[in-house]
Amino acid sequence: MSLMRKTFLTLADNNSVYKFIVGNSYTRAMTRRFVAGEQLDEALEAMKVLNADGIKGSLDLLGENVHSEAEARAAGAEYETILDRIHAAGLDTNVSLKLTQMGFDLSEDLCYEVTAGVIRKAQAYGSFVRLDMEGSAYTQRTVDMFKRLHAEFGKHIGIVLQAYLYRTPAD
């Protein structure tokens, strides 16, 4: 992992730095292009505008590397709520998630169970879940988990691949 990437990840976990960045009008203006909103209602409203312009979207609950089963299950439940809200609003929007937020570091079976619950909810709505790719240490494990989930859920699950990795064409 590069020093700069490691520094940014460390800063991202620092609550004081987070409060400074989200409270700073300059950094908030820079991130608005990529972050639809800090709260779900803001993100859904942004998606309504994008959908009206014919642009589909994907919502992501920021966070990764949970430390307990309860945190993993809470993240899964939050994603299910997001899918409920997307459906209720009639939006053409899906969700993307990080497997470490679903308990990947705790247990692959727990991660599968929590992620499968989110995908089942998406499937019921005719929607889609995308697995975000995380650091290189997770690449093969993420591809393997995707294959396992895809075998059960087919078109309702997708994966992000990192174009800059030499291995990506084979993946």
Side-chain angles (χ1 to χ4, degrees), residues 81-142:
T81 297
I82 292 169
L83 286 162
D84 288 337
R85 297 280 308 279
I86 289 169
H87 179 72
L91 297 174
D92 192 0
T93 302
N94 58 57
V95 297
S96 59
L97 57 81
K98 290 178 174 51
L99 291 176
T100 59
Q101 193 177 26
M102 304 294 111
F104 210 24
D105 288 333
L106 302 172
S107 157
E108 289 193 11
D109 288 339
L110 169 66
C111 179
Y112 184 89
E113 179 185 335
V114 172
T115 305
V118 175
I119 299 168
R120 280 187 197 95
K121 176 71 74 161
Q123 188 176 36
Y125 292 139
S127 191
F128 181 83
V129 173
R130 180 175 293 106
L131 301 182
D132 285 342
M133 188 58 70
E134 300 181 67
S136 294
Y138 292 99
T139 302
Q140 188 59 54
R141 291 177 60 208
T142 300

Side-chain angles (χ1 to χ4, degrees), residues 128-171:
F128 181 83
V129 173
R130 180 175 293 106
L131 301 182
D132 285 342
M133 188 58 70
E134 300 181 67
S136 294
Y138 292 99
T139 302
Q140 188 59 54
R141 291 177 60 208
T142 300
V143 169
D144 292 344
M145 182 63 76
F146 165 74
K147 288 177 180 177
R148 184 177 169 194
L149 288 161
H150 188 268
E152 182 175 348
F153 297 103
K155 68 179 183 175
H156 298 283
I157 182 73
I159 187 171
V160 173
L161 298 174
Q162 296 166 326
Y164 64 87
L165 295 179
Y166 292 116
R167 65 172 282 161
T168 298
D171 289 334

Side-chain angles (χ1 to χ4, degrees), residues 8 11-31 38:
F8 281 124
L11 290 173
D13 284 339
N14 184 311
N15 198 37
S16 297
V17 171
Y18 172 80
K19 286 180 182 178
F20 170 76
I21 290 172
V22 298
N24 182 307
S25 61
Y26 177 72
T27 55
R28 198 169 43 247
M30 288 177 18
T31 61
E38 291 177 42

